[in-house]
Amino acid sequence: MRRLRAFARWGIHAVRDFAHAAHGQAMALWLRYRGGIGFTVGEADCSPIPIVLLPGILERSTYMAGLGNFLAERGHAVHVIDALGWNLAGIEESVEQCLQFLQKEDVHGAVLVAHSKGGLIGKALLLDPRVGDTAIGLVAIATPFAGSTFGGPLQRLPLVESSPLGMFLPQSADLARLAREDDVNHHIVSLAPEWDQMIPGGSHLEGATNVTLAGRGHFRPVGDSEVWKQVHRCVHALAEPKPSNESVS
């Protein structure tokens, strides 16, 4: 009976999270239909650190519009990379698209703010020697740094491995490479939901600042104003390093 109740709670949280994702996708498509998004930078006392949003797989740049507006209102120039499209490309191709954008827009000293797959792209971007000072840190929300076992036995199907979802397999070459190269991990903050149905193993990244969010679900944190505040604090913590005995809270 206890196991049944736990499964029921899991199901309720999952349904709510997927419903949030569907609503977010609908709003993102509506914004794109209306001509995309343009963030108006507000006046603020904080440092005007530029921010680049990196959405997850099957998420258009408009998916993170709420978070982008929140950060822009606080004085940050917020950039989105429309070339990523539905974010189905491999990590290397995505990094190339990001580098081209950063160079074209002459972005310097930016903090990357990412959701899910976007965090993998963000880490790969920080590892690329060509990035220079264009990007200096990453705040990743619900990113599968160690992969995901969400698909269970279905993940062993050749069709899955050869699809864009294959990069999330724990044994994927992309994840193995990113795991080996940990020099930039101390420039990363990983915000992990308390419970994430898409990443059963969590989003812990060795050497990074790992923070557990109070909310549950893979998608809901992207639309949570309390998470937005946390992201804002993390952006400044990465761009304005504190003494080694202090950490992001």
Side-chain angles (χ1 to χ4, degrees):
M1 183 61 70
R2 183 178 299 176
R3 182 174 297 181
L4 183 60
R5 285 197 296 265
F7 183 78
R9 285 195 299 269
W10 182 96
I12 291 170
H13 287 306
V15 168
R16 287 176 177 172
D17 194 54
F18 288 130
H20 185 279
H23 178 265
Q25 288 285 27
M27 292 302 297
L29 290 173
W30 172 246
L31 284 172
R32 186 164 184 81
Y33 172 76
R34 293 286 301 271
I37 48 177
F39 299 111
T40 301
V41 180
E43 296 183 4
D45 295 331
C46 65
S47 301
I49 305 156
I51 290 170
V52 179
L53 300 180
L54 298 174
I57 191 168
L58 290 174
E59 296 174 0
R60 305 287 306 201
S61 58
T62 46
Y63 186 77
M64 301 178 74
L67 174 56
N69 281 320
F70 176 89
L71 295 170
E73 288 169 358
R74 279 145 188 81
H76 299 277
V78 178
H79 303 274
V80 295
I81 305 175
D82 288 329
L84 291 174
W86 287 100
N87 210 359
L88 289 167
I91 299 296
E92 291 184 7
E93 182 180 341
S94 299
V95 166
E96 291 297 328
Q97 292 169 332
C98 292
L99 285 170
Q100 290 175 19
F101 173 87
L102 293 171
Q103 292 165 4
K104 179 182 177 182
E105 298 298 321
D106 196 27
V107 177
H108 295 281
V111 173
L112 311 172
V113 174
H115 176 235
S116 196
K117 177 192 173 183
L120 302 179
I121 297 171
K123 179 178 178 181
L125 186 60
L126 292 179
L127 285 167
D128 195 302
R130 295 171 294 172
V131 77
D133 70 343
T134 59
I136 59 174
L138 165 66
V139 182
I141 304 170
T143 290
F145 289 108
S148 171
T149 58
F150 173 74
L154 294 177
Q155 291 182 306
R156 292 193 287 270
L157 296 175
L159 185 62
V160 173
E161 190 168 358
S162 61
S163 76
L165 297 175
M167 71 180 68
F168 303 119
L169 299 177
Q171 70 272 21
S172 79
D174 283 328
L175 291 182
R177 180 181 69 83
L178 289 177
R180 286 194 303 270
E181 301 184 43
D182 58 4
D183 292 347
V184 300
N185 287 10
H186 63 289
H187 294 298
I188 298 174
V189 177
S190 179
L191 302 179
E194 180 184 16
W195 174 88
D196 187 334
Q197 79 278 14
M198 304 300 291
I199 315 174
S203 302
H204 183 85
L205 179 63
E206 193 68 32
T209 298
N210 292 280
V211 180
T212 300
L213 301 173
R216 296 181 176 183
H218 185 73
F219 301 100
R220 291 163 75 183
V222 180
D224 187 335
S225 60
E226 291 302 314
V227 175
W228 297 350
K229 294 174 186 177
Q230 182 108 30
V231 168
H232 189 220
R233 290 193 294 269
C234 293
V235 165
H236 283 274
L238 287 169
E240 302 162 4
K242 299 180 183 298
S244 57
N245 61 341
E246 296 185 31
S247 60
V248 178
S249 60

